[in-house]
Amino acid sequence: MESVTIKDIARICGVGVSTVSRAINNHPDINQETKDKVMRVIEEHNYIPNHSAQNLKRTDARTIAVLVKGISNPLFARMIKVFEQEIKKEHYSLVLQHVDDRQDEVNVAIQLEKEKRLRGIVFLGGYFSHSADKLKKISVPFVLCTIGLLEDENKKKYASVSVDDVKESARMVDYLIKKGHRDIAILTSTRDDESIGRLRLEGYYNALRRHGIIPKQSLVRYMDEELGTYTMENGYAMTKDLLDSGENFTAVFAISDRMAVGACKAIMDNGKTIPQDYSVVGFDGLDLAQFYNPSITTIRQPMEEMAEATIRTLFDMIRNKSSNKHIVFDGQLIEGQSVREMA
Amino acid sequence: MESVTIKDIARICGVGVSTVSRAINNHPDINQETKDKVMRVIEEHNYIPNHSAQNLKRTDARTIAVLVKGISNPLFARMIKVFEQEIKKEHYSLVLQHVDDRQDEVNVAIQLEKEKRLRGIVFLGGYFSHSADKLKKISVPFVLCTIGLLEDENKKKYASVSVDDVKESARMVDYLIKKGHRDIAILTSTRDDESIGRLRLEGYYNALRRHGIIPKQSLVRYMDEELGTYTMENGYAMTKDLLDSGENFTAVFAISDRMAVGACKAIMDNGKTIPQDYSVVGFDGLDLAQFYNPSITTIRQPMEEMAEATIRTLFDMIRNKSSNKHIVFDGQLIEGQSVREMA
DNA sequence: TTGTATGCGTTATCAG
DNA sequence: CTGATAACGCATACAA
């Protein structure tokens, strides 16, 4: 309970507290001998500095925060690895903070900026539609990564790294159309989605229209939030509905790989075969798509490269080397065994 | 930069800082009118209390920390949901902290305990072999959840909630043997694993021996850490090796569902069929197992129940209602389509 | 019901 | 190189 403080260490060593502080933060102007002694005592007594007190007093902590929205998104694990790596390389430290679905990420950011004396922030995932007023409250550079951006007049305030969800989604639908499909169902996000769900749906509409295909509302299926966002279960339920409805379609475009898996399972449980009876495509490029049976055609987002670009941009901004860029990466269509070439 | 503090709010409102403090922490003895005014000003000026300062001063924050090892483990997402729920129900707040693979979770815990004035800690995942000395540094109750526990003389110091990995693993192998399999390969963790990997391997050996089957080292395959822990890719590589080696076997037991998926894919890529040519079983009970084609027989760990038991145990300890228990849950064997009944 | 003063553990400033 | 001391922003005992 009674935890040992810097004062205790100072007393035990017979030095002043500032000397102990210098030892801890390996300040240059301290005698190596005294430093060694202090460090030894610290070890012996298992002293651990109180982070709160440090942050309260410190003016600069060389810390970057990464705020992640959507804990279960497997895409992010790889990106976070890159962040950890690159941030360490710059001798900064990383604070990884999960943001609840219902939480406001900007509030969390503001809070954290004060608490941890941040130098920069990465927002990973989520929606991000915030007022300029609120954004102004963040006083360090920040980068939005893989966040679906609708048109937004606040773009001057931050940098971003993402794929063009509309374009990539259209690319996928284009591909299906080139393969001879015309009745293409889409499994998308919730009806009120304002983010990637809406963008990918938009891409779907664009592609259809470009090819003179009139979109059918009955082929657009929205997620049931009860079943979890972007889950296999959701994909399964939507596809089952679709099959039961008797709608005519030859291909299903799920806007996430996990939903695509659910779609595949629903189709096969229905006694049908992929791709002979129905074609299925996904989006994201998870390993899951590659390892499924059949492997699922998908759009791969270059997560590692995007993570690198994110962190590089952030450090450029921190060092005032450049202003806020908006980098858009190309996705890559990876063909699996889940699409049939129509006669 | 210049962030607004409690003093600023007090000055603006024309009240003392303590009044503002009372408003924030909704203390009972404060006039509703003044409180409203203060809250309004706080809103207007977007004042956010500095967490560091609060924690430094506060003696009790009614906070529980959950330390998660292995960010990408999809099992944990569901458990964390339960934690959030239950902790909120008790009017506590939750700090979710990710622990790097190479980081020492106990150090993180000690640090965090001081920083956030914790009342209790949950360790989720990982190995947990720490000296009694170090464990003594944690002065609040803590529960180990889903952590593979070897025999450990420190068990008096903490509570734990888990499944019996040895027993459940043996149950799975028993099942295969009952189905007529005798040449059963296992895809396990790294060779030096001291945790669930080793326990599940032990269960495998136990079951074989019990049935008079002599384990063959050539059928025990270890993970290649380069390919990521418990990944599909790893399962794929191990199984491919196995197939290429010409070893004789009829079933593969992967100690995680993700590896089981990799195994399935490798077998099918080899032109073989599941379960006709080879049977495959996994462990964990991920949705993935259920949605794979074919669905994979697995052992489901009752994650939600385990999470509930964890949090209940923790609160019991906090309230001194009970001492540290060690709760062991039963797994549930869920049959899929991936096992063949041998003639 | 409210304001004032003190100290939480640390770092920064400045004088030795 | 080192030590005293003043903040950091807040909660709280105590006085009013």
Side-chain angles (χ1 to χ4, degrees):
Chain A
M1 213 73 236
E2 297 316 313
S3 66
V4 35
T5 76
I6 197 172
K7 277 183 192 164
D8 300 322
I9 300 295
R11 193 167 18 79
I12 294 164
C13 292
V15 300
V17 286
S18 22
T19 304
V20 179
S21 179
R22 287 190 187 94
I24 294 168
N25 307 331
N26 38 17
H27 253 75
D29 41 353
I30 180 173
N31 187 305
Q32 186 61 41
E33 268 179 56
T34 30
K35 179 172 173 179
D36 288 346
K37 190 176 69 184
V38 169
M39 291 314 268
R40 216 183 48 239
V41 173
I42 285 179
E43 274 300 310
E44 275 170 19
H45 292 254
N46 241 275
Y47 163 69
I48 297 185
N50 183 315
H51 237 105
S52 291
Q54 287 187 315
N55 286 325
L56 186 57
K57 189 58 199 173
R58 232 199 283 269
T59 52
D60 166 32
R62 288 180 73 90
T63 299
I64 304 286
V66 175
L67 304 202
V68 187
K69 198 137 190 176
I71 184 174
S72 56
N73 192 329
L75 280 175
F76 295 158
R78 269 152 56 202
M79 303 193 79
I80 290 169
K81 277 242 165 59
V82 176
F83 291 146
E84 282 173 346
Q85 220 172 338
E86 296 299 315
I87 288 173
K88 177 176 275 179
K89 206 181 286 175
E90 299 275 355
H91 301 286
Y92 273 60
S93 56
L94 161 66
V95 172
L96 195 61
Q97 177 73 237
H98 277 292
V99 182
D100 195 78
D101 269 340
R102 299 174 304 280
Q103 253 179 323
D104 182 317
E105 56 258 63
V106 174
N107 280 344
V108 176
I110 297 168
Q111 166 72 262
L112 213 58
E113 186 190 329
K114 301 177 98 159
E115 185 178 341
K116 305 276 191 181
R117 313 282 163 172
L118 303 179
R119 283 263 193 104
I121 304 173
V122 173
F123 290 92
L124 197 55
Y127 311 92
F128 220 86
S129 44
H130 298 277
S131 71
D133 259 10
K134 203 165 196 180
L135 256 30
K136 232 180 292 175
K137 294 283 185 299
I138 304 179
S139 52
V140 294
F142 62 102
V143 184
L144 271 44
C145 184
T146 73
I147 291 181
L149 289 177
L150 305 177
E151 70 296 324
D152 181 351
E153 67 282 7
N154 289 323
K155 280 199 170 176
K156 292 144 244 147
K157 301 203 168 48
Y158 53 78
S160 73
V161 174
S162 60
V163 299
D164 182 335
D165 281 287
V166 177
K167 189 175 106 190
E168 301 302 337
S169 169
R171 181 208 301 266
M172 187 49 107
V173 177
D174 266 344
Y175 170 83
L176 287 172
I177 294 172
K178 287 214 182 75
K179 289 286 183 184
H181 295 272
R182 294 186 68 82
D183 300 304
I184 302 168
I186 183 169
L187 311 183
T188 184
S189 183
T190 52
R191 210 173 277 273
D192 60 347
D193 188 297
E194 292 285 326
S195 183
I196 55 169
R198 185 162 134 201
L199 295 170
R200 291 181 189 173
L201 182 58
E202 203 174 310
Y204 165 81
Y205 284 134
N206 290 353
L208 290 186
R209 291 214 187 84
R210 209 154 47 216
H211 289 272
I213 300 172
I214 297 165
K216 286 179 71 175
Q217 275 314 304
S218 53
L219 290 182
V220 178
R221 298 290 166 151
Y222 297 94
M223 237 163 54
D224 174 3
E225 225 157 346
E226 298 286 304
L227 302 179
T229 51
Y230 300 100
T231 57
M232 298 182 192
E233 199 181 348
N234 234 320
Y236 189 92
M238 288 189 267
T239 307
K240 188 168 185 313
D241 270 3
L242 203 53
L243 291 165
D244 290 350
S245 74
E247 282 298 329
N248 193 45
F249 65 99
T250 62
V252 178
F253 171 30
I255 70 163
S256 88
D257 285 338
R258 295 180 63 80
M259 292 198 291
V261 164
C264 288
K265 191 67 179 175
I267 288 169
M268 294 185 290
D269 277 359
N270 203 270
K272 297 292 193 292
T273 311
I274 300 169
Q276 286 73 24
D277 297 312
Y278 295 102
S279 297
V280 176
V281 299
F283 198 112
D284 280 343
L286 297 190
D287 51 355
L288 184 56
Q290 184 192 145
F291 282 102
Y292 199 73
N293 174 43
S295 62
I296 298 170
T297 296
T298 185
I299 298 260
R300 178 174 180 277
Q301 304 192 52
M303 304 310 281
E304 279 85 358
E305 291 91 322
M306 289 171 70
E308 269 172 38
T310 297
I311 214 68
R312 207 164 348 105
T313 303
L314 185 59
F315 276 117
D316 281 355
M317 289 168 80
I318 290 172
R319 301 195 183 103
N320 260 313
K321 273 193 185 156
S322 74
S323 60
N324 59 325
K325 293 181 270 191
H326 293 275
I327 303 177
V328 177
F329 275 82
D330 273 333
Q332 183 188 358
L333 198 152
I334 299 180
E335 293 194 277
Q337 312 155 327
S338 64
V339 175
R340 172 181 168 207
E341 174 108 41
M342 304 295 275
Chain B
M1 214 68 237
E2 296 319 312
S3 64
V4 35
T5 77
I6 197 173
K7 276 185 194 162
D8 300 321
I9 300 295
R11 194 166 18 78
I12 295 164
C13 292
V15 300
V17 286
S18 35
T19 305
V20 178
S21 178
R22 288 189 187 96
I24 293 168
N25 307 332
N26 38 18
H27 252 75
D29 43 351
I30 180 173
N31 186 306
Q32 187 61 41
E33 267 180 58
T34 31
K35 180 173 174 180
D36 288 345
K37 189 175 71 181
V38 169
M39 291 314 268
R40 217 182 48 237
V41 173
I42 284 179
E43 274 300 310
E44 275 170 19
H45 292 255
N46 241 276
Y47 164 68
I48 297 183
N50 184 317
H51 237 104
S52 292
Q54 288 185 315
N55 285 325
L56 188 56
K57 189 60 195 167
R58 232 197 285 269
T59 51
D60 165 32
R62 291 179 73 88
T63 299
I64 305 286
V66 176
L67 305 203
V68 187
K69 199 138 189 175
I71 183 173
S72 57
N73 192 328
L75 281 175
F76 294 159
R78 267 154 55 204
M79 305 194 79
I80 290 169
K81 277 239 165 62
V82 176
F83 291 145
E84 282 173 347
Q85 220 173 326
E86 296 300 314
I87 288 174
K88 177 177 275 179
K89 205 181 286 175
E90 299 275 355
H91 300 287
Y92 273 61
S93 57
L94 160 67
V95 172
L96 194 62
Q97 179 73 236
H98 277 290
V99 182
D100 195 77
D101 270 338
R102 299 173 304 278
Q103 251 178 323
D104 182 317
E105 55 260 60
V106 175
N107 280 343
V108 175
I110 296 169
Q111 168 71 261
L112 213 57
E113 186 191 329
K114 302 178 95 156
E115 184 178 343
K116 305 275 191 183
R117 313 281 164 172
L118 303 179
R119 283 259 194 106
I121 304 174
V122 173
F123 291 91
L124 196 55
Y127 311 91
F128 220 85
S129 46
H130 298 277
S131 72
D133 259 10
K134 203 164 197 178
L135 256 30
K136 231 180 294 174
K137 294 282 184 300
I138 304 180
S139 51
V140 294
F142 61 102
V143 184
L144 270 43
C145 183
T146 73
I147 291 182
L149 289 178
L150 305 178
E151 69 296 326
D152 182 351
E153 68 283 10
N154 289 322
K155 278 200 172 177
K156 294 143 245 151
K157 299 202 171 50
Y158 52 78
S160 71
V161 173
S162 59
V163 299
D164 183 335
D165 282 286
V166 178
K167 189 176 105 190
E168 301 301 338
S169 169
R171 179 207 301 266
M172 186 51 107
V173 177
D174 266 344
Y175 170 83
L176 286 172
I177 294 172
K178 288 216 180 74
K179 290 284 182 184
H181 295 272
R182 294 188 66 83
D183 301 304
I184 301 169
I186 183 170
L187 311 183
T188 185
S189 181
T190 53
R191 208 174 279 272
D192 60 346
D193 188 297
E194 291 287 323
S195 184
I196 54 170
R198 187 162 131 200
L199 295 170
R200 293 182 188 171
L201 181 59
E202 204 174 308
Y204 164 82
Y205 284 134
N206 290 353
L208 290 186
R209 291 214 187 83
R210 209 152 48 214
H211 290 270
I213 301 172
I214 296 165
K216 286 179 69 175
Q217 275 314 304
S218 53
L219 290 181
V220 177
R221 298 291 166 151
Y222 296 94
M223 236 163 51
D224 173 3
E225 223 157 350
E226 297 285 304
L227 301 180
T229 50
Y230 299 99
T231 57
M232 299 183 193
E233 199 180 347
N234 234 320
Y236 188 94
M238 287 189 267
T239 307
K240 188 170 186 310
D241 270 3
L242 203 53
L243 290 166
D244 290 349
S245 74
E247 282 300 330
N248 193 44
F249 65 100
T250 62
V252 178
F253 170 31
I255 69 162
S256 88
D257 285 338
R258 296 180 61 80
M259 291 198 293
V261 164
C264 289
K265 190 68 180 177
I267 288 169
M268 295 186 287
D269 277 359
N270 203 271
K272 298 293 192 292
T273 310
I274 300 169
Q276 286 74 24
D277 298 312
Y278 295 101
S279 297
V280 176
V281 299
F283 199 112
D284 280 343
L286 296 191
D287 51 355
L288 184 57
Q290 183 191 146
F291 283 102
Y292 199 72
N293 174 44
S295 61
I296 299 170
T297 296
T298 185
I299 298 258
R300 178 175 179 276
Q301 305 192 51
M303 305 309 282
E304 279 87 357
E305 292 90 322
M306 290 171 69
E308 268 171 38
T310 298
I311 214 69
R312 207 164 349 104
T313 303
L314 186 60
F315 277 117
D316 281 355
M317 290 169 79
I318 290 173
R319 300 193 186 105
N320 262 314
K321 273 192 186 156
S322 74
S323 61
N324 58 325
K325 294 180 271 194
H326 292 275
I327 303 177
V328 177
F329 275 81
D330 273 334
Q332 183 189 357
L333 198 152
I334 298 179
E335 294 194 276
Q337 314 154 327
S338 64
V339 176
R340 172 182 168 204
E341 174 109 40
M342 304 295 277

